[in-house]
Amino acid sequence: MRHRIAVVGSGPAGLTFARVLHRHGCPVAVLERDPAADARPPGGVLDLHEGLGQLALDKAGLLAEFRAFSRPEGQAMRILDTDGAVLRDWRPRPDDRANPEIDRGQLRDLLLGPLDVQWGRGVTQVVPGTRDGVQVHFEDGRQETFDLVVGADGAWSRTRPAVSAATPQYTGVTYVETSLEDVDTRHPGLARLIGDGSVAAYGVNRALVAQRNSGGHVKVYAQFRAPLDWHTNLDLADVEAVRSSLLALFDGWAAPVLDLLRHGTAFVHRPLYVLPVSHTWPHVCGVTLLGDAAHLMPPLGAGANLAMLEGAELAESLAAGPGDLDEAVRAFEEQMWERAARWAKITTAGLERLVSPDPAQALAIFDRVQPS
Ligand SMILES: Cc1cc2nc3c(=O)[nH]c(=O)nc-3n(C[C@H](O)[C@H](O)[C@H](O)COP(=O)(O)OP(=O)(O)OC[C@H]3O[C@@H](n4cnc5c(N)ncnc54)[C@H](O)[C@@H]3O)c2cc1C
C-alpha cells in the first residue's frame, strides 16, 4: 500500500522534497498557506553550494536547468570600510561553480515544474498518534489524515509543536531590507560599486550589504545590533521616517555607501531569530521537520542549502521503500541533526563576528573563506 505523505510548506525544503518524490513516482500532498506561487515577493538571491543545494538539485534531476539560470559571476564580493575604501575585491574564475547565485523566484519556478501544490491551505496544527495516523488541521476548519507529515513550514512552523517545544529566539541582530530597481540605468555609480555580485561595508556593530539579483534588481540589507523594540518610536510603514532613522544609524559613513539607503524603495524589517544550536527532539511516529522549521540559523548562506539537501535525502530514502517508513525517518533525522548542528555553530559564530564591535573580524572571516 502506498503511504499517504504530506509536506507543509512550499519553500526550498518542501518543494525539493516533493520534486524528488515526484521524480521517483511517489505521490505527495504539498500544503501551502500562500494563495498562489506569486502571492508574495519571492525575496533576494540564494547562493547554492556544490555539495549542498546543487547536490539536492542533482537528485531532483534539475542541475542542468539550474546551471542555465544561475549566475556564477554573482559570487563576486567586494569589501569596503566605512569611508568607502576597497579592502578586498574578489572575483570568481569564469568556470567557478562552487556557489553560483540564483534568484529565489527562479529557483521556486524551477522546483515547482510539474508539482501540483495545494495553495491557500494554511495548516494550524498537526496532531500525531490518532487511530488513523497524523491529523492535519487547516485554517478553514477542515482536517485530513496522513501516514507521514513533513513540516517544511519555516521559522514559525505550525508542525514543530507536534515534536518539540522549542521556539525561535531573537539574536540581537536586525536586518532592514530595501531594494534598488533598474540599477544599471538609474544608479550607474551604485551599479559599479556593487559589481556583478555583492558589496559589504562593516562598521562597529553594523554593516551595509548589497546583493545584485538578475534584471538590474539589487537587495540592500542594513544590519545592526539593537534591542527587539528599537523601532518603538518609528512607524515602520513610513518609508522616509525609516530611511532617516537608518541614515542616522549609519551617520559618518561614506556618501556612496549611504546612497544604498538613500535610493532604496520600501523598507522591510527582519529581526533575526534562531532555534537553539543542536535542536533535536524525541522521535514522534509520523511527523518530522525539514529546513528552517528544524534548525533556523543566521542567514549566512547555509539555510536554503541545508533545507534543499534534507528534502532531497528524505525523499530518496522514502522512495527507496518498501522499508519501514518510521525507520527511514529516524535515520534521516539523525543525519540531519548532525549536519545542521555543525552549520548552526558556524553561522552563529559568523554572525557574532560579522556584526560585531570589531569590524576587522568580518574581514578575517572573508579572508578565511576566500584567501587571496
Ligand atoms: C536575508 C536572508 C538571506 C538569506 N540568504 C541565504 C543564502 O544565500 N543561502 C542560503 O542557503 N540561505 C539563505 N537564507 C536562509 C533561507 O532563506 C532559509 O533557510 C530557507 O528559505 C529555508 O527554507 P524552508 O523551505 O525551510 O522555509 P521557508 O523558505 O521559510 O518556506 C516555508 C514555506 O512554508 C509556508 N508556510 C509557513 N507556515 C505555513 C502553514 N502554517 N501552513 C502552510 N504553509 C506554511 C510558507 O508560506 C513558505 O512557503 C537567507 C535568509 C534571509 C532572511
Side-chain angles (χ1 to χ4, degrees), residues 167-182:
T167 53
Q169 302 295 313
Y170 178 53
T171 54
V173 175
T174 285
Y175 284 11
V176 179
E177 177 188 308
T178 189
S179 303
L180 305 169
E181 307 299 340
D182 206 3

Side-chain angles (χ1 to χ4, degrees), residues 62-249:
L62 296 171
L63 192 55
E65 283 180 70
F66 167 75
R67 289 201 165 140
F69 278 118
S70 64
R71 293 178 298 109
E73 70 278 13
Q75 299 170 91
M77 181 81 203
R78 184 171 289 154
I79 306 222
L80 313 177
D81 66 15
T82 58
D83 293 331
V86 177
L87 302 176
R88 301 287 185 277
D89 195 2
W90 183 83
R91 282 169 223 204
R93 291 185 320 271
D95 60 343
D96 186 338
R97 299 239 159 232
N99 303 298
E101 305 275 346
I102 186 166
D103 289 13
R104 279 175 196 259
Q106 291 174 330
L107 179 66
R108 179 200 59 207
D109 293 346
L110 184 63
L111 288 167
L112 268 176
L115 294 178
D116 194 11
V117 173
Q118 299 182 28
W119 302 104
R121 302 221 66 200
V123 168
T124 54
Q125 199 187 2
V126 172
V127 184
T130 72
R131 195 159 47 86
D132 293 337
V134 182
Q135 264 179 12
V136 175
H137 296 235
F138 293 92
E139 285 168 354
D140 61 6
R142 287 190 230 182
Q143 293 173 19
E144 279 182 47
T145 307
F146 298 91
D147 300 308
L148 175 65
V149 176
V150 177
D153 45 350
W156 304 101
S157 169
R158 293 300 190 98
T159 315
R160 190 169 52 231
V163 299
S164 163
T167 53
Q169 302 295 313
Y170 178 53
T171 54
V173 175
T174 285
Y175 284 11
V176 179
E177 177 188 308
T178 189
S179 303
L180 305 169
E181 307 299 340
D182 206 3
V183 69
D184 299 290
T185 316
R186 290 201 214 165
H187 312 291
L190 284 179
R192 280 192 298 278
L193 185 77
I194 297 160
D196 289 334
S198 302
V199 64
Y202 295 98
V204 174
N205 285 328
R206 63 208 61 187
L208 267 177
V209 178
Q211 280 187 316
R212 185 182 275 273
N213 295 216
S214 64
H217 181 81
V218 170
K219 286 271 183 234
V220 178
Y221 302 96
Q223 311 176 350
F224 49 94
R225 288 197 178 270
L228 200 46
D229 62 357
W230 67 275
H231 53 87
T232 305
N233 297 316
L234 182 64
D235 176 2
L236 289 175
D238 181 339
V239 175
E240 291 315 319
V242 177
R243 192 190 318 280
S244 300
S245 160
L246 292 176
L247 287 170
L249 193 63

